[in-house]
């Protein structure tokens, strides 16, 4: 059974805000709502416009009978995964983390976060 627009509006959909380097201002999108995006000259106006765009997108989807995906949840992720690596890499990571005075787990987390930040820009 499809929910109402108000019910969907209360859900915590992930909003992505990207600065428009070419035109200026900001572009806002909702990854769980394909094609739902807007922009604004300031961050505040872009976010306000995003709420309007989300509401209009939801109303149109309900009117057209389009299935609306509910927002993703962190509950779907444990925060753990197993990874097999070469012994030489394991040794190098263990030695680097020891030099830094932190656990290898924390060192690997730092490396992954730093690398992820590089690719999400």
């Amino acid at each position: 059974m499809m929910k109402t627009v108000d019910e969907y509006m209360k859900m915590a959909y992930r909003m992505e805000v990207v600065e428009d380097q070419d035109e200026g201002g900001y572009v806002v999108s909702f990854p769980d709502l394909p094609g739902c995006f807007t922009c604004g000259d300031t961050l505040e106006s872009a976010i306000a416009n995003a709420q309007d765009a989300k509401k209009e997108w939801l109303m149109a989807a309900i009117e057209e009978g389009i299935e609306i995906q509910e927002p993703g949840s962190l509950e779907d992720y444990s925060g753990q995964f197993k990874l097999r690596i070469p012994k030489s890499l394991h040794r190098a990571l263990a030695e680097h983390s020891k030099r830094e005075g932190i656990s290898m787990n924390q060192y690997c987390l730092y490396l992954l976060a730093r690398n992820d930040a590089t690719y999400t820009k």
Side-chain angles (χ1 to χ4, degrees), residues 19-105:
E19 188 173 4
D20 188 336
Q21 299 289 331
D22 297 326
E23 302 290 324
Y26 297 87
V27 176
V28 183
S29 64
F30 294 91
D32 292 328
L33 306 175
C36 182
F37 61 93
T38 189
C39 60
D41 293 331
T42 65
L43 186 55
E44 294 78 16
S45 68
I47 291 172
N49 292 345
Q51 292 308 310
D52 292 338
K54 181 168 95 172
K55 187 171 188 173
E56 293 295 324
W57 189 97
L58 291 166
M59 288 190 317
I62 289 171
E63 186 177 302
E64 296 292 322
I66 296 171
E67 183 179 343
I68 300 172
Q69 179 178 334
E70 293 192 9
S73 170
L74 290 179
E75 292 176 9
D76 298 335
Y77 303 94
S78 69
Q80 298 180 2
F81 68 96
K82 293 181 180 185
L83 178 66
R84 296 222 179 264
I85 59 175
K87 290 178 181 180
S88 58
L89 177 57
H90 188 174
R91 179 181 63 205
L93 291 169
E95 290 172 355
H96 289 213
S97 62
K98 187 175 181 179
R99 271 192 300 250
E100 294 294 325
I102 58 176
S103 71
M104 192 170 81
N105 189 62

Side-chain angles (χ1 to χ4, degrees), residues 3-30:
K3 294 174 175 44
T4 67
V5 171
D6 290 335
E7 289 172 318
Y8 283 115
M9 288 297 291
K10 290 177 185 174
M11 293 182 180
Y13 283 94
R14 184 168 53 99
M15 180 188 312
E16 290 185 354
V17 180
V18 178
E19 188 173 4
D20 188 336
Q21 299 289 331
D22 297 326
E23 302 290 324
Y26 297 87
V27 176
V28 183
S29 64
F30 294 91

